Amino acid sequence: MKKTINVSNQGATLDTSRRNFLKLSGIGIAVAGLTLVGCEDDDFEYNDNKIFDLGMGDVGVLNYAYALEQLEADFYTKVVNNFYAGISSVEKEVLTDLYHHEVIHRDFFKAAITGATNNVLPTLEFQYPNVNFNDKSSVLATAKALEDTGVAAYNGAGKYITNPTYLVLAGKIVSVEARHASAIRDLINPLTAAFSGDDVVDPATGLDVAKEPKDIVMAAGGFIKTPFTWKERGIN
């Protein structure tokens, strides 16, 4: 059965008094609103081992994005709940802004997918075995890896989206994720070209890197404790 859900920014709060660039970009996503149409209740399934499969078509891509947003929101929640020693006011501001954005993204996907289908990716559990949350270098290096991965994930999955409404949503969010990546890179190497390094921007085309879902899940798999599959994209 197909369902329609209207998603807005009601209930989302974000302090805009400082009106810095990162905050405003996050608010732009939050207030945009979205109408999701066309998810089928039977687009999702569990395999024989009761492990959740992300599903087919656009639904699978939405669940894939939701999984990554859950990871980023979980990471930044841990960061802001116990800031690393010696954090500067600028670092605290940026990391707090990113925390707000990722929580909004996560909750946005949850509300949208839950309203459009009875089958939604469950809340995942994560682990950070090699991250020292009390160490600046460890936290920022992990944030950099997650943000770079997020941008590459959206860019790589875009070609699998058939519904233009979903494609607009992905385009809006990936633009914010790219700003996140640049902000973190600038914290690590201030006032350098690292914010758009050749490792994430192709110098020949000026385009961000795009990676296939299978490669993204492999890269982020060490953080994801709850198993899931996406058989349509070869993730088993």
Side-chain angles (χ1 to χ4, degrees), residues 14-168:
L14 200 59
D15 175 18
T16 61
S17 59
R18 287 176 287 134
R19 302 189 65 80
N20 61 68
F21 182 71
L22 277 175
K23 271 195 188 301
L24 289 178
S25 64
I27 293 170
I29 291 295
V31 302
L34 179 69
T35 301
L36 296 180
V37 184
C39 292
E40 300 279 359
D41 284 350
D42 58 359
D43 280 336
F44 298 78
E45 63 181 48
Y46 286 83
N47 64 25
D48 293 337
N49 296 320
K50 303 301 181 183
I51 296 176
F52 189 87
D53 185 80
L54 298 185
M56 303 288 289
D58 289 343
V59 170
V61 179
L62 291 176
N63 266 307
Y64 170 60
Y66 179 39
L68 296 175
E69 296 298 349
Q70 283 192 49
L71 170 57
E72 291 184 309
D74 184 80
F75 171 75
Y76 286 113
T77 297
K78 287 179 169 57
V79 170
V80 301
N81 280 340
N82 184 26
F83 285 115
Y84 53 78
I87 189 171
S88 71
S89 59
V90 172
E91 291 162 359
K92 183 178 291 188
E93 182 178 34
V94 169
L95 291 169
T96 300
D97 286 351
L98 268 57
Y99 156 75
H100 283 298
H101 291 185
E102 301 300 359
V103 168
I104 287 174
H105 292 173
R106 178 199 65 195
D107 292 350
F108 189 84
F109 274 109
K110 181 178 181 180
I113 303 172
T114 299
T117 178
N118 292 328
N119 301 284
V120 61
L121 179 71
T123 299
L124 304 176
E125 292 185 55
F126 303 99
Q127 57 191 3
Y128 306 92
N130 299 313
V131 181
N132 180 356
F133 283 94
N134 196 44
D135 178 75
K136 172 181 174 178
S137 295
S138 183
V139 169
L140 295 185
T142 305
K144 174 177 172 289
L146 290 177
E147 297 297 352
D148 289 349
T149 298
V151 174
Y154 277 101
N155 289 338
K159 64 179 177 288
Y160 298 122
I161 300 174
T162 61
N163 186 316
T165 301
Y166 302 155
L167 191 59
V168 169

Side-chain angles (χ1 to χ4, degrees), residues 151 155 196-210:
V151 174
N155 289 338
S196 59
D198 291 349
D199 57 325
V200 289
V201 177
D202 185 335
T205 64
L207 299 177
D208 286 315
V209 169

Side-chain angles (χ1 to χ4, degrees), residues 45-47 53-56 229-236:
E45 63 181 48
Y46 286 83
N47 64 25
D53 185 80
L54 298 185
M56 303 288 289
T229 63
W230 193 6
K231 290 182 286 187
E232 183 181 40
R233 297 292 161 224
I235 300 170
N236 297 305

